[in-house]
Coordinates of all heavy atoms in Angstrom, one line a residue:
L1 N -4.7 -2.2 10.0 CA -4.6 -3.1 8.8 C -4.2 -2.2 7.6 O -3.3 -2.7 6.8 CB -5.9 -3.7 8.5 CG -6.0 -4.6 7.3 CD1 -5.0 -5.8 7.4 CD2 -7.5 -5.2 7.1
G2 N -4.7 -1.0 7.5 CA -4.3 -0.1 6.5 C -2.8 0.2 6.5 O -2.1 0.2 5.5
K3 N -2.3 0.5 7.7 CA -0.8 0.7 7.9 C 0.0 -0.5 7.4 O 1.1 -0.3 6.8 CB -0.5 1.0 9.4 CG -0.8 2.4 9.8 CD -0.6 2.6 11.3 CE 0.8 2.3 11.8 NZ 1.0 2.5 13.2
T4 N -0.5 -1.7 7.7 CA 0.2 -2.9 7.3 C 0.3 -3.0 5.8 O 1.3 -3.3 5.2 CB -0.4 -4.1 7.9 OG1 -0.4 -4.0 9.3 CG2 0.3 -5.4 7.5
K5 N -0.8 -2.6 5.1 CA -0.9 -2.7 3.7 C 0.2 -1.7 3.1 O 1.0 -2.1 2.2 CB -2.2 -2.2 3.1 CG -3.4 -3.2 3.5 CD -3.2 -4.5 2.9 CE -4.5 -5.4 3.2 NZ -4.3 -6.8 2.6
S6 N 0.3 -0.5 3.7 CA 1.3 0.4 3.3 C 2.8 -0.1 3.5 O 3.7 0.2 2.8 CB 1.1 1.8 3.9 OG 0.1 2.5 3.3
S7 N 2.9 -0.8 4.7 CA 4.3 -1.3 5.0 C 4.6 -2.4 4.0 O 5.8 -2.5 3.6 CB 4.3 -1.8 6.4 OG 4.2 -0.8 7.3
F8 N 3.7 -3.3 3.6 CA 4.0 -4.3 2.6 C 4.3 -3.6 1.3 O 5.2 -4.0 0.5 CB 2.7 -5.2 2.4 CG 2.7 -6.3 3.3 CD1 1.6 -6.5 4.1 CD2 3.7 -7.3 3.4 CE1 1.5 -7.6 5.0 CE2 3.7 -8.4 4.2 CZ 2.5 -8.5 5.1
A9 N 3.6 -2.4 1.0 CA 4.0 -1.6 -0.2 C 5.4 -1.1 -0.2 O 6.1 -1.1 -1.2 CB 3.0 -0.5 -0.3
E10 N 5.9 -0.7 1.0 CA 7.3 -0.3 1.2 C 8.2 -1.4 0.8 O 9.3 -1.1 0.2 CB 7.5 0.2 2.6 CG 6.7 1.4 3.0 CD 7.3 2.7 2.4 OE1 8.3 2.7 1.7 OE2 6.6 3.8 2.6
L11 N 7.9 -2.6 1.2 CA 8.8 -3.7 0.8 C 8.8 -3.9 -0.7 O 9.8 -4.2 -1.3 CB 8.3 -5.0 1.5 CG 8.4 -5.1 3.0 CD1 8.0 -6.6 3.4 CD2 9.8 -4.9 3.4
A12 N 7.6 -3.8 -1.3 CA 7.5 -3.9 -2.8 C 8.4 -2.8 -3.5 O 9.0 -3.1 -4.5 CB 6.1 -3.8 -3.2
L13 N 8.4 -1.6 -2.9 CA 9.2 -0.5 -3.4 C 10.7 -0.9 -3.3 O 11.5 -0.7 -4.3 CB 9.0 0.8 -2.7 CG 7.7 1.5 -2.9 CD1 7.6 2.8 -2.0 CD2 7.5 1.8 -4.4
R14 N 11.1 -1.5 -2.2 CA 12.5 -1.9 -2.1 C 12.9 -3.0 -3.1 O 14.0 -3.1 -3.5 CB 12.7 -2.5 -0.7 CG 12.6 -1.5 0.5 CD 14.0 -0.9 0.7 NE 14.0 0.1 1.7 CZ 15.0 0.4 2.4 NH1 16.2 -0.2 2.3 NH2 14.9 1.4 3.3
E15 N 11.9 -3.8 -3.5 CA 12.1 -4.8 -4.5 C 11.9 -4.3 -5.9 O 12.1 -5.1 -6.9 CB 11.2 -6.0 -4.2 CG 11.5 -6.7 -2.8 CD 10.4 -7.6 -2.4 OE1 9.3 -7.5 -2.9 OE2 10.7 -8.4 -1.4
G16 N 11.6 -3.0 -6.1 CA 11.4 -2.4 -7.4 C 10.1 -2.8 -8.1 O 10.0 -2.5 -9.3
D17 N 9.2 -3.3 -7.3 CA 7.9 -3.6 -7.9 C 6.9 -2.5 -7.6 O 6.1 -2.5 -6.7 CB 7.4 -4.9 -7.3 CG 6.2 -5.5 -8.1 OD1 5.6 -4.8 -8.9 OD2 5.8 -6.7 -7.8
Y18 N 7.0 -1.4 -8.5 CA 6.2 -0.2 -8.2 C 4.7 -0.5 -8.4 O 3.9 0.1 -7.7 CB 6.7 0.9 -9.1 CG 8.1 1.3 -8.8 CD1 9.2 1.0 -9.6 CD2 8.4 2.1 -7.6 CE1 10.5 1.3 -9.2 CE2 9.6 2.4 -7.3 CZ 10.7 2.1 -8.1 OH 12.0 2.4 -7.8
R19 N 4.3 -1.3 -9.4 CA 2.9 -1.6 -9.6 C 2.3 -2.3 -8.4 O 1.2 -1.9 -8.0 CB 2.7 -2.4 -10.9 CG 3.0 -1.6 -12.2 CD 2.0 -0.5 -12.3 NE 2.3 0.3 -13.5 CZ 1.8 1.5 -13.7 NH1 1.1 2.1 -12.7 NH2 2.2 2.2 -14.7
A20 N 3.0 -3.2 -7.8 CA 2.5 -3.9 -6.6 C 2.3 -2.9 -5.5 O 1.4 -2.9 -4.7 CB 3.4 -5.0 -6.2
A21 N 3.4 -2.0 -5.4 CA 3.3 -1.0 -4.3 C 2.1 -0.1 -4.4 O 1.4 0.2 -3.5 CB 4.6 -0.2 -4.3
I22 N 1.9 0.3 -5.7 CA 0.7 1.2 -5.9 C -0.6 0.5 -5.5 O -1.5 1.2 -4.9 CB 0.7 1.7 -7.4 CG1 1.8 2.7 -7.6 CG2 -0.6 2.3 -7.8 CD1 2.1 3.1 -9.1
G23 N -0.7 -0.7 -5.9 CA -1.9 -1.5 -5.5 C -2.1 -1.5 -4.0 O -3.2 -1.4 -3.5
L24 N -1.0 -1.8 -3.3 CA -1.1 -1.9 -1.8 C -1.4 -0.5 -1.2 O -2.2 -0.4 -0.2 CB 0.1 -2.5 -1.3 CG 0.3 -4.0 -1.5 CD1 1.8 -4.4 -1.4 CD2 -0.6 -4.8 -0.6
F25 N -0.8 0.5 -1.7 CA -1.1 1.9 -1.1 C -2.6 2.2 -1.4 O -3.2 2.9 -0.6 CB -0.2 2.9 -1.8 CG 1.2 2.9 -1.2 CD1 2.3 2.9 -2.1 CD2 1.5 3.0 0.1 CE1 3.6 2.9 -1.6 CE2 2.8 3.0 0.7 CZ 3.8 3.0 -0.2
R26 N -3.1 1.8 -2.5 CA -4.5 2.1 -2.8 C -5.4 1.4 -1.9 O -6.5 1.9 -1.5 CB -4.8 1.8 -4.3 CG -4.2 2.8 -5.3 CD -4.5 2.4 -6.7 NE -4.1 3.5 -7.6 CZ -3.8 3.3 -8.9 NH1 -4.0 2.1 -9.5 NH2 -3.5 4.3 -9.7
Q27 N -5.0 0.1 -1.5 CA -5.8 -0.6 -0.5 C -5.9 0.2 0.8 O -6.9 0.3 1.5 CB -5.3 -2.0 -0.2 CG -5.5 -2.9 -1.4 CD -4.9 -4.3 -1.1 OE1 -5.1 -4.8 0.0 NE2 -4.2 -4.9 -2.0
D28 N -4.8 0.8 1.2 CA -4.7 1.6 2.5 C -5.6 2.8 2.3 O -6.3 3.2 3.2 CB -3.3 2.0 2.8 CG -3.1 2.6 4.2 OD1 -4.1 2.7 4.9 OD2 -2.0 3.0 4.5
I29 N -5.5 3.4 1.1 CA -6.4 4.6 0.9 C -7.9 4.3 1.0 O -8.6 5.1 1.5 CB -6.1 5.2 -0.5 CG1 -4.8 6.1 -0.4 CG2 -7.2 6.0 -1.1 CD1 -4.5 7.0 -1.6
L30 N -8.3 3.2 0.5 CA -9.7 2.8 0.6 C -10.1 2.7 2.0 O -11.2 3.1 2.4 CB -9.9 1.4 -0.1 CG -9.8 1.5 -1.7 CD1 -10.0 0.1 -2.2 CD2 -10.9 2.4 -2.3
I31 N -9.2 2.1 2.9 CA -9.5 2.0 4.3 C -9.6 3.4 4.9 O -10.5 3.7 5.7 CB -8.5 1.1 5.0 CG1 -8.6 -0.4 4.5 CG2 -8.7 1.1 6.5 CD1 -7.5 -1.3 5.0
G32 N -8.6 4.2 4.6 CA -8.6 5.6 5.1 C -9.8 6.4 4.8 O -10.3 7.1 5.6
R33 N -10.3 6.2 3.5 CA -11.5 6.9 3.1 C -12.7 6.4 3.9 O -13.5 7.2 4.3 CB -11.7 6.8 1.6 CG -10.8 7.6 0.7 CD -11.0 7.3 -0.7 NE -10.1 8.1 -1.6 CZ -9.8 7.8 -2.8 NH1 -10.4 6.7 -3.4 NH2 -9.0 8.5 -3.5
E34 N -12.8 5.1 4.0 CA -13.9 4.5 4.8 C -14.0 5.1 6.2 O -15.0 5.3 6.7 CB -13.8 3.0 4.8 CG -14.9 2.3 5.5 CD -14.8 0.8 5.4 OE1 -13.9 0.3 4.7 OE2 -15.5 0.1 6.2
L35 N -12.8 5.3 6.8 CA -12.7 5.7 8.2 C -12.6 7.2 8.3 O -12.7 7.7 9.5 CB -11.5 5.0 8.9 CG -11.6 3.5 9.0 CD1 -10.3 3.0 9.6 CD2 -12.8 3.0 9.8
G36 N -12.5 7.9 7.2 CA -12.3 9.3 7.3 C -11.0 9.8 7.9 O -10.9 10.8 8.6

């Protein structure tokens, strides 16, 4: 699920929406921290 969040973030980057991408990457980071 975290990988998917980052992949959606990559789409946002392609569309030039950097703020949305940052928010999605941060969601993946939260999952990564939870799982170590």
Side-chain angles (χ1 to χ4, degrees):
L1 180 59
K3 279 175 60 177
T4 299
K5 296 294 184 186
S6 281
S7 294
F8 275 122
E10 295 285 355
L11 292 186
L13 289 179
R14 291 271 176 156
E15 295 165 345
D17 192 345
Y18 295 104
R19 287 298 175 201
I22 287 171
L24 288 161
F25 283 128
R26 284 177 176 162
Q27 288 182 44
D28 192 2
I29 276 190
L30 290 175
I31 294 173
R33 284 176 181 163
E34 181 181 345
L35 299 175

